[in-house]
Amino acid sequence: MKTMILFGSTYGYTKECAIKLANELEGEVCLVNIGKGTIPALDSYDTILIGGSIYMGQIQKKIKEYCISNEAALKNKNLGFFISCGTPDNFDDNIINAFPEPLLKSALSIENFGGELRTDKMKLSHKLITNLMKKATAKENNPQTKPLPQNIEKMVQTIQSKCH
Ligand SMILES: Cc1cc2nc3c(=O)[nH]c(=O)nc-3n(C[C@H](O)[C@H](O)[C@H](O)COP(=O)(O)O)c2cc1C
């Protein structure tokens, strides 16, 4: 199995998840941060895992655009999609909004890796939004933002069992 993991990450949480995913998958794995450097051609990979983090309901623009422009080539690969997000309740809406529907339909694995609110690294406007989000979460008794490492394991297991 030759895998490329392509990810977007603003404050590093998704990057850490992608590294974990890369370390646990068998075979050759190429890890690519969409914010840095070039993306290798898809030809030499049979499995492509793509993910990013959600900000105001949107995944990183470059991830969304990459999936749209490479939809035809991606359709022929073993596919997995993941997102990091603060509110698991909106997972379905966020996933549908982030990736082209035909690709989601053919994906072998779609996972929510949870999230972390890294306020120490945030720019001021993001800190303010985070405070509002935390207040709304507490008021509505919604689940707190938390990492979901078990879903990284789930993706590893699913991809490995289906791609051999
Ligand atoms: C300004 C801001 C807006 C966010 N908007 C959303 C959102 O709309 N929905 C959601 O589920 N999580 C939202 N989050 C939570 C992030 O998706 C979460 O913190 C994630 O772990 C960030 O990953 P990253 O460090 O890889 O960018 C937001 C976080 C910030 C700071």
Side-chain angles (χ1 to χ4, degrees), residues 62-79:
K62 284 185 180 174
I63 289 284
K64 191 168 183 167
E65 286 173 356
Y66 177 84
C67 292
I68 292 169
S69 9
N70 293 281
E71 192 177 318
L74 287 168
K75 195 99 200 333
N76 301 319
K77 307 286 179 183
N78 300 318
L79 288 177

Side-chain angles (χ1 to χ4, degrees), residues 7-157:
F7 70 91
S9 180
T10 305
Y11 294 114
Y13 176 76
T14 316
K15 182 179 177 180
E16 284 168 22
C17 293
I19 291 171
K20 209 169 170 189
L21 191 60
N23 288 341
E24 293 188 16
L25 281 168
E26 284 165 10
E28 198 181 319
V29 183
C30 172
L31 188 60
V32 184
N33 184 340
I34 201 155
K36 291 187 181 145
T38 49
I39 304 168
L42 287 169
D43 317 9
S44 41
Y45 300 95
D46 47 64
T47 304
I48 315 285
L49 309 178
I50 305 178
S53 42
I54 302 297
Y55 286 80
M56 310 312 285
Q58 302 294 324
I59 200 160
Q60 279 83 9
K61 204 173 162 209
K62 284 185 180 174
I63 289 284
K64 191 168 183 167
E65 286 173 356
Y66 177 84
C67 292
I68 292 169
S69 9
N70 293 281
E71 192 177 318
L74 287 168
K75 195 99 200 333
N76 301 319
K77 307 286 179 183
N78 300 318
L79 288 177
F81 294 102
F82 56 91
I83 54 170
S84 304
C85 61
T87 43
D89 288 359
N90 295 335
F91 175 71
D92 289 347
D93 289 344
N94 287 332
I95 276 282
I96 289 166
N97 188 31
F99 304 106
E101 200 190 342
L103 297 184
L104 289 173
K105 280 196 174 142
S106 65
L108 302 175
S109 169
I110 300 171
E111 291 294 346
N112 176 6
F113 287 172
E116 250 176 27
L117 292 163
R118 299 183 161 176
T119 38
D120 51 323
K121 292 184 178 175
M122 283 177 197
K123 60 179 178 181
L124 184 61
S125 62
H126 281 182
K127 274 187 189 163
L128 297 172
I129 294 168
T130 298
N131 282 339
L132 294 174
M133 275 170 45
K134 281 184 177 167
K135 278 183 192 155
T137 302
K139 197 175 165 195
E140 290 158 26
N141 268 328
N142 286 332
Q144 300 280 330
T145 300
K146 61 170 186 191
L148 297 172
Q150 63 273 31
N151 292 345
I152 303 176
E153 306 306 323
K154 256 174 83 182
M155 180 167 273
V156 170
Q157 296 308 323

